[in-house]
Amino acid sequence: MLRVGVLVSGGGTNLQAILDAVDHGDITNAEISVVISNNPGAYALERARKHGIRAVCISPKQFPARDAFNQAFLAKIDEYDLDLIVLAGFLVMIPAAMTEKYKGRIINIHPSLIPSFCGKGFYGLKVHDAVLARGVKVTGATVHFVDAGTDTGPIILQKAVKVKDGDTSKELQRRVMEKAEWKILPEAINLIANDKITVTDGIVSLK
């Protein structure tokens, strides 16, 4: 049974998609062991509690320096003996020591088709603002492994979403979540839980 920890900073809609997929049997051989947020007011923590899952808050604001937080954060992650860490809208930079220790065991959902509209500064509505400003006709979402870079790890799954004339950033964000993020993130977890993924030279293959 794959022990999964989900890290989230906000409302937790991607977390809810994961929980629903577990409940409906779309994710098998996996259990959500803990939900961790940097935000004590994150509704994601309440979603976890409603499912009987440990809900933990640890924030950089609780520590005098980022190094102290990074050490405490990694120690907290280590407590749960996780096989997979899922970044589902987690807006805190992952410490280098954590990406090294959990190499190949951290995945992230990004609201664009990487390598477009990704990297430093591209998160949340900023991604969709950039998509609309560029005038592209197709956007989407990507699930990828996390490495030392920003949105540079091996791509697991992608799903395209059409951009409609007159879209606002919030409208596009919602469509990308509904049509792509909430589908491919649970799918990726299920693939990993059932040993359906191999990575060779930075390229993901599905068995």
Side-chain angles (χ1 to χ4, degrees):
M1 184 72 71
L2 195 78
R3 291 176 56 83
V4 181
V6 182
L7 278 53
V8 60
S9 293
T13 54
N14 274 308
L15 169 64
Q16 189 64 53
I18 295 167
L19 296 174
D20 290 346
V22 172
D23 290 345
H24 297 155
D26 295 323
I27 294 176
T28 59
N29 297 324
E31 62 178 10
I32 310 305
S33 300
V34 65
V35 172
I36 298 175
S37 181
N38 62 301
N39 175 11
Y43 187 65
L45 295 174
E46 183 62 22
R47 294 182 194 270
R49 294 184 190 105
K50 287 180 177 179
H51 268 74
I53 298 168
R54 296 184 191 92
V56 175
C57 178
I58 180 168
S59 170
K61 295 178 181 179
Q62 299 170 314
F63 298 86
R66 181 50 71 99
D67 283 349
F69 164 76
N70 287 346
Q71 292 177 16
F73 181 58
L74 180 54
K76 179 61 66 176
I77 293 290
D78 288 344
E79 286 181 21
Y80 297 100
D81 192 25
L82 300 173
D83 301 304
L84 180 67
I85 298 166
V86 178
L87 309 184
F90 190 61
L91 301 181
V92 175
M93 184 176 292
I94 301 300
M98 180 172 159
T99 57
E100 181 61 31
K101 184 171 186 176
Y102 288 89
K103 186 176 181 179
R105 290 190 284 160
I106 309 175
I107 65 172
N108 179 57
I109 181 77
H110 183 76
S112 77
L113 296 174
I114 291 174
S116 297
F117 308 105
C118 67
K120 187 175 181 180
F122 283 100
Y123 61 89
L125 281 175
K126 293 184 178 182
V127 175
H128 306 293
D129 286 340
V131 166
L132 294 176
R134 185 64 181 88
V136 301
K137 306 305 179 186
V138 177
T139 184
T142 303
V143 181
H144 64 94
F145 284 107
V146 174
D147 62 9
T150 303
D151 301 326
T152 55
I155 291 171
I156 302 169
L157 294 171
Q158 292 185 303
K159 187 171 177 61
V161 176
K162 289 184 178 179
V163 180
K164 296 182 179 180
D165 291 343
D167 265 342
T168 65
S169 296
K170 288 187 177 180
E171 288 169 342
L172 184 57
Q173 179 185 51
R174 184 72 184 185
R175 189 179 313 115
V176 168
M177 287 192 297
E178 291 177 348
K179 301 293 186 181
E181 293 181 43
W182 298 349
K183 297 182 183 300
I184 63 174
L185 184 54
E187 182 181 353
I189 294 169
N190 187 59
L191 289 169
I192 293 168
N194 289 281
D195 195 27
K196 298 294 185 181
I197 287 177
T198 58
V199 182
T200 305
D201 297 328
I203 302 297
V204 172
S205 300
L206 305 183
K207 297 179 183 177

